[in-house]
Amino acid sequence: MDHAAEHLDPTEPAPASASSSAAVAEVNAWLSSLAAEAGSGGGAGGRAGGGGAAAELSLGPEPTPRGVAYLRALAAASQARSRAAGIAAAGLRAQASEFRTEAARLREALERAGFARDALPPPAAAAARAVAAVANLLAIRDTEMSSFVVASADLSLRRAEVEEKRDKVHKESKALLDYTRKAINKLTELKKMLEKFKNDVEKQQAEQMTDWQTKLVMMDSKERQYILQVSNYKAMLNRVGYTPEINHGVLMEMAEHKKDLERKTKPIADTLRSYQDLPPDKALAALAIEDKKRQYAAAEKYLEDVLQSALTTTGL
C-alpha cells in the first residue's frame, strides 16, 4: 500500500508542470469520481445531487500550482490505496466463498451421516460445542490429530513461557518487597537519627546561647571597665599636661635628653657626695656648707636652664 499521502507537505515547492492542463484535468477527474461515489452511496437522492457535489469539488478557474501539486499527489495516494483495498476485498470475498462452500459440504456430509445439528442428542451437541470451543481456543481449522497435537504443544510452550514469566515476576516482586522493607527500615532509622539530631541541635543551641549570654555579660562588664580606664587615663594625661603633639618620637627625644642631663649632672652629684667628709670644725663646716649650697644652686639653675631650653625646642 502506498503511504505517499502521509508524507505530503504543502510547503514544498511545486513542480513547473503542476499547473498544466493535464494535471488540472487529472485532479478534476479524481474529484468528480469522489463526488460520484458519494452520490451513488446515498441512492437516487445522492445521484441527483452528484452534479452539484462534483461542481463543488472541482478546481476553480485559476488554481495555484502548489494546490494542484498537493491535490495531484493526494489523488495518486488515494487511488493507490483504493486499488490495494479492492485487491484485499476481492481476496477476502474469495476466502469467504470458499469457507461457505466448505461449510455447505461439511453440513451435507454430516446430515447424510445422521449428525445434523438438529438431530444430535443434547450430550452430543454439548460435546460438539466443547470440541468447537477447544478448536477455536487452539486456533485449529481441521480435524486432524496432528493439528491438535501441534496446537497442544504450542499451548504447552505458551504455558511454560507464562509460568516462566510468572516465576520471574514473582522473584522480581519478592526482591522489590525485600528492597521496600529494607527501604522502610532505613527510612525509620533515618527518622530516628533526624529526631536525635534535632534534639542534639536544640540542646547544643541552648548551651551555645547560654554561653553567648554569659560571654556577653562578661564583655559588657569589660566594656564598662575599659571605658572607665580610658576616662582615667584621659584625666591623668590632662593632669600631666599631655597634648596630642607629644608623640612617641618626642618622648624618645626627651628621654635621650634626660639621659644626657643625668650624664652631665653626675660629676656634680659626685662632688656633692665628696663634701660628706667635712671637717668637724663648725666654722669650716659652715663655710663648706655655704660653698656646697652655692654649687647646688648653680647646678639647679643650670638644670632648669637646660630643661627650659629643651621644652622650648620641643614646642617649636
Side-chain angles (χ1 to χ4, degrees):
M1 187 178 293
D2 191 3
H3 299 277
E6 298 178 357
H7 304 284
L8 293 177
D9 188 2
T11 61
E12 293 180 356
S17 61
S19 59
S20 62
S21 58
V24 173
E26 183 180 352
V27 173
N28 284 330
W30 174 63
L31 293 175
S32 300
S33 64
L34 290 179
E37 290 177 2
S40 63
R47 283 192 299 271
E56 291 179 0
L57 290 177
S58 63
L59 293 175
E62 295 180 359
T64 61
R66 190 180 302 279
V68 172
Y70 183 77
L71 289 175
R72 188 179 184 185
L74 187 62
S78 176
Q79 292 170 0
R81 289 195 176 193
S82 299
R83 288 193 296 270
I87 294 172
L92 292 175
R93 283 194 293 270
Q95 289 182 1
S97 178
E98 291 177 0
F99 290 154
R100 284 194 295 269
T101 303
E102 184 68 16
R105 187 181 64 78
L106 290 175
R107 192 180 300 110
E108 183 181 358
L110 289 174
E111 289 177 354
R112 289 178 181 178
F115 293 108
R117 181 183 299 178
D118 298 334
L120 289 176
R129 285 194 296 271
V131 171
V134 171
N136 289 329
L137 177 63
L138 298 178
I140 299 175
R141 295 293 180 264
D142 53 38
T143 58
E144 296 293 335
M145 188 64 183
S146 60
S147 299
F148 177 77
V149 172
V150 172
S152 300
D154 186 33
L155 183 62
S156 299
L157 290 175
R158 284 187 289 175
R159 179 183 177 184
E161 291 177 359
V162 170
E163 289 180 352
E164 183 180 357
K165 290 181 179 179
R166 185 181 63 184
D167 294 339
K168 184 178 179 181
V169 170
H170 181 68
K171 291 180 181 179
E172 292 178 354
S173 301
K174 187 176 180 180
L176 183 60
L177 181 60
D178 294 339
Y179 181 77
T180 304
R181 288 175 180 173
K182 292 179 180 179
I184 292 173
N185 295 332
K186 190 67 175 178
L187 179 61
T188 305
E189 293 178 1
L190 291 175
K191 286 183 178 179
K192 291 180 180 179
M193 292 175 64
L194 178 61
E195 191 67 25
K196 181 181 178 182
F197 287 156
K198 285 183 179 180
N199 296 332
D200 293 343
V201 167
E202 291 177 357
K203 183 178 179 181
Q204 186 177 2
Q205 286 180 349
E207 294 177 354
Q208 191 174 9
M209 186 63 65
T210 304
D211 187 21
W212 285 352
Q213 289 177 354
T214 304
K215 290 181 178 178
L216 284 174
V217 171
M218 183 181 64
M219 292 175 66
D220 187 38
S221 176
K222 289 287 187 182
E223 182 182 6
R224 290 194 297 270
Q225 179 183 353
Y226 292 154
I227 291 174
L228 182 60
Q229 289 180 357
V230 168
S231 300
N232 294 334
Y233 290 151
K234 286 182 178 179
M236 184 185 298
L237 291 174
N238 291 330
R239 284 196 304 269
V240 299
Y242 176 79
T243 57
E245 290 80 9
I246 304 176
N247 51 25
H248 181 70
V250 174
L251 294 176
M252 291 300 295
E253 291 178 0
M254 293 180 68
E256 291 294 334
H257 189 64
K258 179 183 176 183
K259 290 180 180 180
D260 189 20
L261 292 177
E262 288 178 352
R263 188 171 56 255
K264 291 179 178 180
T265 56
K266 185 178 180 181
I268 299 173
D270 293 340
T271 304
L272 292 174
R273 280 193 296 269
S274 65
Y275 291 158
Q276 293 176 359
D277 300 331
L278 292 173
D281 186 58
K282 184 178 180 180
L284 294 175
L287 292 174
I289 289 171
E290 290 296 330
D291 187 26
K292 294 295 184 182
K293 285 181 178 181
R294 287 193 300 269
Q295 291 179 2
Y296 185 72
E300 283 184 351
K301 188 175 184 309
Y302 176 76
L303 182 60
E304 287 178 359
D305 295 335
V306 172
L307 288 173
Q308 187 66 30
S309 63
L311 291 175
T312 302
T313 302
T314 303
L316 294 175

